[in-house]
Amino acid sequence: MQTVHVQGRAWERLAVALLLCAFFGICAAVAVTALQAAPSPLALLPLAIALGLSPMLARHLPRELDGLLRAHPVLSLLWLALAALTVARIAGVALFMADPLQPQLSAIWYDPFYVNHSCFSSYWKASELASAGAANIYDGAHYAGNEGRFKLDEYLYPPPFLILPQLAASLGAGFVAMRAAWFAVDAALVMAIMLAVCAWIGGAAGRRAALLLPAAWLALPTLITMQTGNFQLAAIALAMLAMLLFQRGRDEAGGAVMALALFKIFPGVLCAYLLFCKRWRALAWSIAFSLLYAALAYAMLGAQPFRDFVGYEMPRIASGEVWSWMQLEGLEAVVAINYSVPALVLKLKLFGVDGLEYRHLAAVALLWSVVVVALAWLAARRASACSRLELAAVWLGLLGLAAVRSPFVPDDYALFPALWLWCLLAAGQVRAAAHRFLRSAAFAVLWLAFAIVMPIGLVQPQHLPLLLAVSTASQLLALAFWLWPVLRRPAAQGSANTTASASPAAA
């Protein structure tokens, strides 16, 4: 009888394992489909294998999950419904990635802009241009056309980033196939790192954070950014993975991962954090691998992309010319959904504040850079007193604050670090705390504020005031939310879960 009772309590772990295996199995199925000349039943084999492995995975999940259905039946059933819906939504987007002729499966199927938008198109086109030895891969004239249904985006990244699409192109498949494969790798990588962060946090807080992850994946910013293929989510996840490796004393591996994240530039805020923590080896390995990737890109692509970047693109970035299109009449809706701190200048102008011009963006960007570096210094000073949950929250807060330093950060990928941070901070709430209902309600409202992406393809001029008000309120909430873990004093000082940032052995 005792054996039957124990086996019965394992159903919770099996359910979690099935959903996890379904998620990664869907990613694998999309990757297999992308690498085939045509869809076939073989693509379902990875999903079937993944689901078949779920009982094995269930045995390795925390035993604390056992009995949750009996102890908390309503919450358990709600979680199962949320997680199942998340997997279903991921499956729908995955099908759209495998077949762009199924727009009804898009994350926002009713918005023509997102249905026909692909950030990956810029990576793909720039990689093709660089391989062909084209003059100036940063010239916007190269990106005037389309890749199938998708309008080409302009390429704005440093040359070393092209290593990644070059590796994708080496598989010999076309744009549609590589768009799907990019999605599969991106989604699996980000989810795996999010789970790794929860495992590193450990304890009840780590388990709660892991169980809250479906809320981050069901939200539109995560789904849309995965669909469009922007590297932003992967950069944030890779930066977090690098910090975990540094905490474990694996500075060489952490440096290799951090250098990949630095393709997006803004994760450099964590390099400033490492500097202030006096983590010299971690910082040195990050710099060393950044130079190595640059040398590899130089060997693969030659000198021309580097000359184009230094001589053409960097002056345009410094002067703000790259973002000058935000001044154009008719693009007010795009300005409204811009979560960049410098772009608040343009938002205030739309609100009717006089005396503000586009030229003020550079001054605000410089000021915000100073603020973010100062916050990194403050976080480094307090790091030794932080619990693992608090450290992870601080890193995410710094990444979110640094990411919005760019003049243009649309709501879809701007809000992902807020959603991930929401999972950590919600998990850290003491269940027996006073005003528990009010705290839960506040976190529910915050999730709603971060989970919505405005359908700008449907915005009419009369909708602009409402769009501007809603997006600005959400932006300010996100800024406050990222500042919260960075500015608050560590609450877990002296606890068993405390780990000194300056001492990898403690992790």
Side-chain angles (χ1 to χ4, degrees):
M1 292 297 293
Q2 180 64 26
T3 302
V4 173
H5 180 59
V6 171
Q7 288 178 345
R9 291 193 304 171
W11 282 110
E12 290 90 345
R13 279 186 284 154
L14 182 58
V16 173
L18 278 168
L19 290 164
L20 277 174
C21 289
F23 181 96
F24 288 105
I26 289 167
C27 294
V30 172
V32 169
T33 300
L35 297 178
Q36 294 182 103
S40 84
L42 183 63
L44 296 177
L45 182 59
L47 178 59
I49 293 173
L51 292 175
L53 293 174
S54 55
M56 185 184 303
L57 174 61
R59 289 195 291 271
H60 295 279
L61 292 177
R63 292 187 177 276
E64 288 80 1
L65 296 175
D66 295 347
L68 283 180
L69 183 59
R70 178 175 298 180
H72 307 284
V74 175
L75 285 177
S76 297
L77 291 174
L78 285 175
W79 183 87
L80 283 171
L82 175 69
L85 180 58
T86 301
V87 171
R89 286 284 278 154
I90 286 291
V93 174
L95 287 171
F96 177 57
M97 302 306 293
D99 184 5
L101 298 180
Q102 303 294 330
Q104 73 277 9
L105 298 172
S106 167
I108 303 186
W109 64 93
Y110 47 83
D111 187 338
F113 174 80
Y114 285 112
V115 169
N116 300 303
H117 180 70
S118 171
C119 298
F120 178 72
S121 66
S122 71
Y123 314 156
W124 180 261
K125 184 64 176 179
S127 179
E128 280 190 337
L129 292 169
S131 296
N136 196 359
I137 63 172
Y138 296 97
D139 186 349
H142 291 305
Y143 304 91
N146 287 60
E147 280 282 0
R149 73 178 306 143
F150 303 103
K151 185 182 184 305
L152 287 171
D153 259 13
E154 288 191 32
Y155 182 70
L156 303 174
Y157 293 28
F161 176 80
L162 290 175
I163 294 172
L164 300 180
Q166 283 283 310
L167 290 175
S170 68
L171 298 175
F175 167 75
V176 171
M178 284 301 97
R179 167 180 167 270
W182 185 273
F183 163 83
V185 174
D186 195 14
L189 175 72
V190 173
M191 175 59 94
I193 294 174
M194 293 175 84
L195 290 169
V197 171
C198 295
W200 177 75
I201 291 169
R207 290 193 298 274
R208 288 196 295 269
L211 291 173
L212 287 170
L213 290 181
W217 280 87
L218 187 60
L220 284 176
T222 309
L223 290 172
I224 289 175
T225 309
M226 283 294 169
Q227 176 180 300
T228 58
N230 195 287
F231 186 64
Q232 186 92 350
L233 272 58
I236 293 169
L238 288 168
M240 292 292 289
L241 176 60
M243 296 304 291
L244 295 194
L245 291 169
F246 292 145
Q247 289 297 111
R248 295 186 181 278
R250 300 175 60 186
D251 293 332
E252 298 89 344
V257 174
M258 181 62 80
L260 291 173
L262 290 173
F263 288 157
K264 258 292 193 179
I265 308 299
F266 72 84
V269 68
L270 294 182
C271 290
Y273 172 88
L274 292 171
L275 174 66
F276 296 134
C277 286
K278 299 181 181 180
R279 297 292 301 275
W280 310 121
R281 279 178 53 83
L283 189 58
W285 279 111
S286 300
I287 295 171
F289 273 100
S290 294
L291 294 174
L292 177 62
Y293 295 152
L296 180 60
Y298 191 95
M300 293 172 64
L301 305 172
Q304 189 60 45
F306 289 86
R307 285 196 291 262
D308 296 339
F309 183 71
V310 174
Y312 178 80
E313 190 69 358
M314 284 184 66
R316 295 175 70 232
I317 292 173
S319 67
E321 182 185 347
V322 169
W323 316 108
S324 60
W325 53 266
M326 288 191 290
Q327 303 177 84
L328 297 176
E329 188 176 350
L331 293 181
E332 292 83 2
V334 180
V335 173
I337 57 95
N338 187 355
Y339 278 50
S340 159
V341 168
L344 282 171
V345 170
L346 300 181
K347 283 192 174 184
L348 289 172
K349 189 176 179 181
L350 290 177
F351 275 119
V353 178
D354 295 328
L356 294 174
E357 300 295 340
Y358 177 80
R359 57 189 173 85
H360 293 129
L361 264 73
V364 175
L366 178 60
L367 177 61
W368 187 247
S369 300
V370 173
V371 169
V372 171
V373 171
L375 291 170
W377 171 81
L378 177 63
R381 287 196 64 188
R382 297 175 172 177
S384 61
C386 289
S387 68
R388 291 185 176 187
L389 176 64
E390 289 168 330
L391 278 178
V394 166
W395 300 336
L396 270 174
L398 288 173
L399 286 168
L401 293 167
V404 293
R405 185 266 178 211
S406 172
F408 182 66
V409 189
D411 55 356
D412 53 344
Y413 58 75
L415 287 169
F416 173 73
L419 288 162
W420 190 353
L421 180 60
W422 182 92
C423 296
L424 300 187
L425 294 183
Q429 298 302 301
V430 179
R431 295 174 63 185
H435 309 299
R436 176 178 164 187
F437 175 78
L438 291 177
R439 284 173 179 253
S440 299
F443 270 91
V445 171
L446 282 171
W447 183 84
L448 285 173
F450 302 150
I452 298 172
V453 169
M454 301 300 172
I456 59 173
L458 304 177
V459 172
Q460 300 297 322
Q462 63 269 26
H463 302 146
L464 183 61
L466 178 61
L467 175 64
L468 188 60
V470 171
S471 65
T472 304
S474 173
Q475 177 184 6
L476 295 177
L477 277 173
L479 287 171
F481 201 57
W482 291 321
L483 282 168
W484 180 15
V486 178
L487 293 179
R488 70 175 179 176
R489 292 185 178 276
Q493 189 165 5
S495 73
N497 198 33
T498 299
T499 177
S501 178
S503 176

